[in-house]
Structure formats: structure tokens, C-alpha cells
Amino acid sequence: MHEIPFEEILQRLLDLKANRVLIQTPEGLKGEAQALADFLERNGIEAIISGDINYGACDPADTEAKRLGCGALIHLGHSYMALHLEVPTLFVPAFAKVDVVPALERNIEEIKKLGKKIALVTTTQHIHQLERARTFLEENGFEVLVGKGDSRVSWPGQVLGCNFSAARVNADGVLFIGAGYFHPIGLAISTRKPTLAVNPYSGDAIWMDKEAERLIRKRWAQIAKAMDAERFGVITSTKKGQLRLAEAKRVVKLLREHGKYAKLIAMNHISYPALEGFDFDAYVVVACPRVPIDDYENWRKPVLTPREVEILLGLRDDYEFDEILG
Ligand code: SF4
């Protein structure tokens, strides 16, 4: 269950004098998006729901909203990201209604193994409870550090799957509050510190060090599979917050300098089936790091991140997570 402030959204749309809006939603908030559309229409605002899949604030549908003649875009589920947008956009984060403190209480002995000084981080869904979590931990004798993060995040202590800047503080270990493995594994790899993930829904706590090692082994296997590749497709995204054209060009240049054939490809929704028919031996995804890391099993060719290409070419030997920094 998530809290969406319907009345506040309506007021902001009235202030903007937007009488038609596009509502963009992640998979988990489709019901809320539909309820919001009904609410807005009852209040005299025409609401269109975007049926396209959305994974993050990095992919606002502002261009589509403009094309549809909308006076505003409502982007549900994610916090503000600094991007150049074509229509006024309301980023409406969805805060989970679950209390995080019971899970911390239950796992206090595990948390103590992180050390005295801990970096506290979470995702947008639980960010509204970060202060409660901090108070609880301080009352239990910890020194809690909440990093500010860079311009890609909206709040201190917030992490994205592509940005762990808020965890870069001088702590003994990292405490992540949230569900799912992608963020805490990325934190463990990126910070190289003991990382404990406490799930406020299940109440479980999982150490990420082994998970991180497992992921790194899988990534080395991808790099090994690409060792004999001669022809590389280097994919950049056309999604506003994933567009890393300069980085993609740098990768193309590096590959060419090492005698490889490399071509730049631009895509919106990056998936292997759309690439069938091109003549490449391997791909590099210079966009959301979740694509090559989470989805590689669906690719029939090896798929790497920019950092992994550097390992492949012998330019580095330590594994580094691919982050998009602001
Ligand atoms: Fe999330 Fe990927 Fe977008 Fe980063 S680039 S915000 S990880 S969807």
C-alpha cells in the first residue's frame, strides 16, 4: 500500500491551469494511477494514463505529454530528477505505509556487526522514515551517517539502482532499508564495505557480501564470453535520464583503439530481441546498469557495462559497479 496525495496533486494542477494531464506509472502503481485518473476527471481534469512501462524518474514521458496536448505530466512512484522537461512535471513519490522500526529492532544484533559508525540508506519508498530509523539507531548507541548524495538524488540517504553516492561516507558498514537485492548488492560492490539489507516487509536481514561476490563472478563470466568478440554494438539510451552519449562515444573510441569494430546504437527500450539481425558479437549497454546486470540471461550475445569493457581491454583489473553520477 502506498500513499498518493490526490488532493495536493489536484491543487497543483489547478495552479498550473492544466486541464489535460498524462499520468505515468511504474508497474506496482497501476491501480493508484487509475484511481487518480478517475479522481481528476471527477474534478474536471481530463486524464490520460500512459501504458508504457516505466522504471524510473530517468524516463519521464514529458515529450509524449506535450504531443498529447497535456498541460502537465504526473510521474508516479519516483522522486524528482533534474532533467530538462518539455511540460511542467509533478514527480509524485509513493511512500510505503510499512513501519521500518520493527524490522530494525528485530535485527539489532546483526546490525551491531556492521560496527559503531554506520551509513544509513534507503530507496524513495521508505525515505520518509529515515529520520525515525536514525533516531532508533542512535538510541541504540550507533553513530549514524546519512550522506547527502549527488544531484541525481532528491534526499540525503536516498539511493537509486544506478547511484550510491549517498553511501559514500566515512562509515564502518552500510545499512540498507528496503526490499529487493539490486540496490544493496550495488551498495556492497560500490562501497566495498560490509552491507546489511533489512527488509521492512518481511523483517529479514541479509548480508550482501556473498551476493555481491556471486554477482561479480557472473559478470566476470560475461567478460570472459566477450573475450573473442571482434564486433561490438555500443548502446546508448534515448531516455532523458539515461542518455550518456559522451560515455558511449568514449567506449566506442576505446574499442576502436584496441582494434575492435564498434558501432553506436541508440535505443529507447533496450532489449535483445530488437537487436536480432544486426551483425555484432557482443554489446555494451551505456544506459541503466540494470539492463546488462539484471537482464543478461535474456541476451543471446554477451552484454557488458562500460567498466567491464575496460577490464576486457586490460585497462583495469578491479571490478567496479556502473553508476550514473550527477
Ligand atoms: Fe533506476 Fe535505471 Fe533509471 Fe537509474 S537509470 S533511476 S537504476 S531505472
Side-chain angles (χ1 to χ4, degrees), residues 55-58 81 152 160-162 241-242 287-290 324:
Y55 297 105
C58 56
M81 190 176 278
R152 197 164 166 85
L160 304 171
C162 59
Q242 294 185 21
C288 174
R290 293 194 81 131
I324 309 177

Coordinates of all heavy atoms in Angstrom, one line a residue, residues 55-58 81 152 160-162 241-242 287-290 324, ligand 1:
Y55 N 10.3 2.6 -15.4 CA 11.2 2.1 -14.3 C 11.8 3.1 -13.4 O 12.3 2.8 -12.4 CB 12.3 1.2 -15.0 CG 11.8 0.0 -15.7 CD1 11.8 0.0 -17.1 CD2 11.3 -1.1 -15.0 CE1 11.4 -1.1 -17.8 CE2 10.9 -2.2 -15.7 CZ 10.9 -2.2 -17.1 OH 10.5 -3.3 -17.8
G56 N 11.8 4.4 -13.9 CA 12.4 5.4 -13.0 C 12.2 6.8 -13.4 O 11.6 7.1 -14.5
A57 N 12.6 7.7 -12.6 CA 12.5 9.1 -12.9 C 13.4 9.5 -14.1 O 13.2 10.6 -14.7 CB 12.9 10.0 -11.7
C58 N 14.3 8.6 -14.4 CA 15.2 8.8 -15.6 C 14.4 8.8 -16.9 O 15.0 9.1 -17.9 CB 16.2 7.8 -15.6 SG 15.5 6.1 -15.6
M81 N 14.0 14.2 -10.5 CA 15.4 14.2 -11.1 C 15.6 15.4 -12.0 O 14.7 15.8 -12.7 CB 15.5 12.9 -11.9 CG 16.9 12.6 -12.4 SD 17.1 11.0 -13.2 CE 17.2 9.9 -11.9
R152 N 21.7 13.7 -8.6 CA 20.8 12.8 -9.2 C 19.7 12.3 -8.2 O 18.7 11.7 -8.5 CB 21.6 11.6 -9.7 CG 20.8 10.7 -10.7 CD 21.8 9.8 -11.5 NE 21.1 8.8 -12.2 CZ 20.5 8.9 -13.4 NH1 20.6 10.1 -14.1 NH2 19.9 7.9 -14.0
L160 N 19.6 5.1 -5.7 CA 19.0 4.5 -6.9 C 19.8 3.3 -7.3 O 20.9 3.1 -6.9 CB 19.0 5.6 -8.0 CG 18.4 7.0 -7.7 CD1 18.8 7.9 -8.8 CD2 16.9 6.9 -7.5
G161 N 19.2 2.5 -8.2 CA 19.9 1.4 -8.7 C 21.2 1.7 -9.5 O 22.1 0.9 -9.7
C162 N 21.3 3.0 -9.9 CA 22.4 3.5 -10.6 C 23.2 4.5 -9.9 O 24.1 5.2 -10.5 CB 21.9 4.1 -11.9 SG 20.8 5.5 -11.7
G241 N 17.0 10.6 -18.7 CA 17.9 10.5 -17.6 C 18.9 9.3 -17.7 O 19.6 9.0 -16.7
Q242 N 18.9 8.7 -18.8 CA 19.9 7.6 -19.1 C 20.8 7.8 -20.2 O 21.7 7.0 -20.5 CB 19.1 6.2 -19.4 CG 18.3 5.7 -18.2 CD 17.7 4.3 -18.6 OE1 18.2 3.6 -19.5 NE2 16.6 4.0 -17.9
A287 N 23.7 2.8 -20.4 CA 22.4 3.3 -20.1 C 22.2 2.9 -18.6 O 23.1 2.9 -17.8 CB 21.3 2.8 -21.0
C288 N 20.9 2.5 -18.3 CA 20.6 1.9 -17.0 C 21.5 0.7 -16.7 O 21.4 -0.3 -17.5 CB 19.2 1.6 -16.9 SG 18.7 0.8 -15.3
P289 N 22.2 0.6 -15.7 CA 23.0 -0.6 -15.4 C 22.2 -1.8 -15.1 O 22.7 -3.0 -15.2 CB 23.9 -0.2 -14.2 CG 23.1 1.0 -13.5 CD 22.4 1.7 -14.6
R290 N 20.9 -1.7 -14.8 CA 20.1 -2.8 -14.6 C 19.9 -3.7 -15.8 O 19.7 -4.9 -15.7 CB 18.7 -2.4 -14.1 CG 18.7 -1.8 -12.7 CD 17.3 -1.7 -12.1 NE 16.9 -3.0 -11.5 CZ 16.4 -3.1 -10.3 NH1 16.2 -2.1 -9.6 NH2 16.1 -4.3 -9.9
I324 N 25.6 5.9 -12.6 CA 25.3 7.2 -13.3 C 25.4 8.3 -12.2 O 24.5 8.4 -11.4 CB 24.0 7.2 -14.0 CG1 23.8 6.0 -14.9 CG2 23.9 8.5 -14.9 CD1 22.5 5.9 -15.7
Ligands
SF4_1 FE1 16.6 3.4 -11.9 FE2 18.0 2.6 -14.0 FE3 16.8 4.9 -14.1 FE4 18.9 4.6 -12.5 S1 18.9 4.5 -14.8 S2 16.9 5.6 -12.0 S3 18.6 2.4 -11.9 S4 15.7 2.9 -14.0

